[in-house]
């Protein structure tokens, strides 16, 4: 069986890394196609290097643009590569434009599609990712649901039970495989002592592309920092950086840094007193690492984190952000990680190679 791994952004590289390693371990026939959706060193190459991933056989130049531009460029490039390579299966992970383009190009060529992290829903069609998730799940032949809840969602949408496998989330594999390395690695010390800072990430289109919403979030985070006397570390995603510049918004007392590599980010997460985020992967990692999270959104496709008490939705209003942060800091960090045992990639490849 020949497998094509299609990916294009930071979270896909990180969450596909355990799958790629498993394919290598089994000496499976596979190649990587990178769409080029993320191309800046610190969103892309840094992870290939740090996670020792093989070089993509194909690297498209989809780059940035409107949703249609990005997706269209990817579709054309992916189709050409798939026609040439004739893989039996295309594997995609998550909910980005790269994921949907990979799934659509493959399905139209009659190539089977495996969707890693299937069945997540925010039920908010205003999010581009929600559209990508729904469409990809309904195109896919193999749906690797991270949790029983995700499987239930897929069944509820009429997807055949035989197509779905609950595997756990590969982010647990990635965290377990790299957590020790992150602790051992000799690095410059973090800017603040362990447990003495908050960590912030922000990049969702619906948050950072709207002046008022972004201004409210920044004001809320600054208020939290002042009232609780805790510094905030903010590795700034390029989409957020672009909007901050365009809107002329000031981040106040927030300690901004460039995005960091995976091991450094795991260190930053592990040392944080609490994590404020609108990222999907960061909500999961906080939960896995035992750090409380406040999600700066009105909904989440990771409700398991909220159900176990690791996460709470705070939206974008300053008072609510402060209230929810205090509430989470008052809780005991005693939850059980709902995303599996770190062997998701093994299950995915086991079942794929038998298919
Ligand atoms: C994309 C995904 C999002 C995912 C995120 C992970 C979609 C619809 N969005 O959002 O689901 O959570 O990646 O980080 O697929 N830019 C750079 N360098 C890069 C890439 C982007 O500077 O390497 C800047 C460009 O100004 C670009 C902007 O970031 O216009 C947005 O990039 P894009 O890939 O369109 O969306 P993300 O916000 O990164
Ligand atoms: N991450 C990283 N460096 C950073 C910020 C995040 O390596 O400076 C990692 C983080 O550990 C997680 C992933 O990026 O695994 C999350 O990606 P992102 O928030 O961009 O996307 P999402 O998960 O929301 O799709």
């Amino acid at each position: 069986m020949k497998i094509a791994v299609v990916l294009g952004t930071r979270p896909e590289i990180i969450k596909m890394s355990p799958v790629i390693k498993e394919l290598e371990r089994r000496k499976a026939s596979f190649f990587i196609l990178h769409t080029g959706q993320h191309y800046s060193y610190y969103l892309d190459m840094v992870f290939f290097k740090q996670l020792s991933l093989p070089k993509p056989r194909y690297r498209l130049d989809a780059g940035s643009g409107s949703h249609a531009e990005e997706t269209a460029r990817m579709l054309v490039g992916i189709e050409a590569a798939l026609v040439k390579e004739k893989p039996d299966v295309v594997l995609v992970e998550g909910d980005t434009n790269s994921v949907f383009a990979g799934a659509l190009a493959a399905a139209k060529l009659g190539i089977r599609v495996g969707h890693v992290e299937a069945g997540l829903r925010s039920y908010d069609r205003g999010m581009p990712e929600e559209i990508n998730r729904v469409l990809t799940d309904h195109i896919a032949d193999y749906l690797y649901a991270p949790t029983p809840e995700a499987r239930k969602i897929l069944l509820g949408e009429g997807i055949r039970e035989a197509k779905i496998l609950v595997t756990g989330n590969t982010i647990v594999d990635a965290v377990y495989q790299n957590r020790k390395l992150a602790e051992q690695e000799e690095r410059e010390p973090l800017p603040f002592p362990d447990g003495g800072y908050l960590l912030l990430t922000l990049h969702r289109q619906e948050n950072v592309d709207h002046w008022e919403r972004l201004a409210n979030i920044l004001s809320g985070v600054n208020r939290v920092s002042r009232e609780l006397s805790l510094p905030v570390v903010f590795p700034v995603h390029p989409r957020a950086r672009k909007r901050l510049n365009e809107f002329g918004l000031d981040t106040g007392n927030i300690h901004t840094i460039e995005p960091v590599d995976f091991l450094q980010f795991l260190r930053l997460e592990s040392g944080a007193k609490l994590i404020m985020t609108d990222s999907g992967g960061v909500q999961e990692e906080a939960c896995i690492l035992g750090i409380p999270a406040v999600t700066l959104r009105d909904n989440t496709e990771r409700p398991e984190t909220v159900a176990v008490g690791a996460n709470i939705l705070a939206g974008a209003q300053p008072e609510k952000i402060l209230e929810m942060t205090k509430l989470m800091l008052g809780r005991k960090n005693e939850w059980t990680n709902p995303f599996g045992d770190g062997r998701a990639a093994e299950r995915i490849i086991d079942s794929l190679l038998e298919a």
Side-chain angles (χ1 to χ4, degrees):
M1 179 187 286
K2 185 172 177 180
I3 298 161
V5 174
V6 174
L7 44 72
T9 68
R10 168 168 76 183
E12 293 159 68
I13 303 167
I14 292 171
K15 286 180 166 177
M16 268 302 194
S17 67
V19 173
I20 295 168
K21 298 219 169 247
E22 194 60 23
L23 287 167
E24 283 184 316
R25 203 174 67 79
R26 310 280 184 104
K27 300 195 171 29
S29 163
F30 80 99
F31 67 94
I32 299 172
L33 186 158
H34 191 312
T35 64
Q37 181 175 347
H38 281 179
Y39 45 85
S40 298
Y41 177 78
Y42 54 79
L43 285 189
D44 172 18
M45 273 308 287
V46 66
F47 302 109
F48 277 87
K49 279 200 179 152
Q50 188 167 57
L51 301 171
S52 307
L53 298 175
K55 251 177 89 172
R57 188 175 297 171
Y58 295 86
R59 180 175 280 273
L60 310 179
D61 195 13
S64 307
S66 70
H67 286 280
E69 285 165 348
E70 282 185 10
T71 313
R73 283 195 290 263
M74 290 178 207
L75 277 171
V76 173
I78 296 170
E79 184 182 63
L82 295 181
V83 166
K84 188 161 163 228
E85 293 282 345
K86 298 189 179 44
D88 300 287
V89 178
V90 164
L91 278 183
V92 290
E93 191 287 330
D95 55 18
T96 66
N97 290 342
S98 296
V99 170
F100 174 53
L104 183 59
K108 290 279 183 76
L109 290 170
I111 298 168
R112 285 173 282 161
V113 174
H115 187 202
V116 179
E117 202 179 57
L120 274 61
R121 296 289 180 272
S122 65
Y123 299 105
D124 176 359
R125 290 279 170 103
M127 294 177 73
E129 292 84 0
E130 183 74 356
I131 298 167
N132 291 336
R133 280 180 208 122
V134 172
L135 295 172
T136 304
D137 282 340
H138 285 263
I139 287 171
D141 299 277
Y142 309 120
L143 294 104
Y144 305 111
T147 62
E149 288 79 5
R151 174 178 178 273
K152 221 163 124 187
I153 287 173
L154 294 169
L155 291 174
E157 292 182 9
I159 291 175
R160 271 197 299 121
E161 195 172 358
K163 288 180 164 187
I164 309 166
L165 179 70
V166 177
T167 59
N169 196 309
T170 59
I171 193 63
V172 183
D173 309 26
V175 169
Y176 288 1
Q177 286 164 18
N178 292 288
R179 189 169 43 182
K180 278 225 169 64
L181 284 176
E183 283 162 12
Q184 289 160 357
E185 217 197 21
E186 284 275 332
R187 294 290 280 257
E188 59 193 90
L190 298 178
F192 303 103
D194 264 18
Y197 64 92
L198 307 173
L199 178 64
L200 169 70
T201 82
L202 272 182
H203 76 284
R204 293 252 89 80
Q205 179 181 299
E206 57 279 16
N207 274 341
V208 304
D209 284 12
H210 303 278
W211 177 86
E212 198 183 347
R213 197 162 166 103
L214 182 56
N216 274 334
I217 291 175
L218 293 174
S219 143
V221 172
N222 270 295
R223 207 163 138 197
V224 168
S225 176
R226 265 196 321 274
E227 292 210 13
L228 304 181
S229 301
L230 283 166
V232 178
V233 181
F234 178 21
V236 188
H237 187 286
R239 178 189 281 274
R241 171 73 69 203
K242 190 163 96 178
R243 297 303 181 214
L244 286 168
N245 291 343
E246 268 173 29
F247 299 151
L249 274 171
D250 182 12
T251 48
N253 285 327
I254 299 170
H255 182 81
T256 59
I257 57 174
E258 289 299 309
V260 295
D261 61 55
F262 187 49
L263 296 188
Q264 184 71 349
F265 194 70
L266 284 174
R267 287 178 72 210
L268 274 172
E269 286 179 306
S270 304
K273 195 170 179 65
L274 177 141
I275 300 175
M276 309 172 105
T277 190
D278 63 6
S279 156
V282 177
Q283 288 176 66
E284 291 160 352
E285 286 167 357
C287 181
I288 296 162
L289 294 166
I291 309 297
V294 169
T295 291
L296 304 166
R297 291 174 46 188
D298 302 313
N299 52 55
T300 179
E301 58 293 312
R302 273 88 176 172
E304 297 87 347
T305 57
V306 178
V308 298
N311 185 16
I312 204 158
L313 294 174
Q317 287 305 319
E319 308 73 45
K320 184 96 184 279
I321 294 173
L322 179 63
E323 187 193 333
M324 293 300 134
T325 305
K326 284 182 178 164
L327 198 151
M328 283 308 291
L329 285 174
R331 277 191 192 167
K332 285 215 169 79
N333 305 359
E334 285 179 334
W335 55 83
T336 311
N337 151 35
F339 295 114
D341 57 3
R343 293 173 54 208
E346 206 180 306
R347 287 189 193 95
I348 290 165
I349 301 306
D350 267 346
S351 104
L352 187 61
L353 295 181
E354 277 167 19

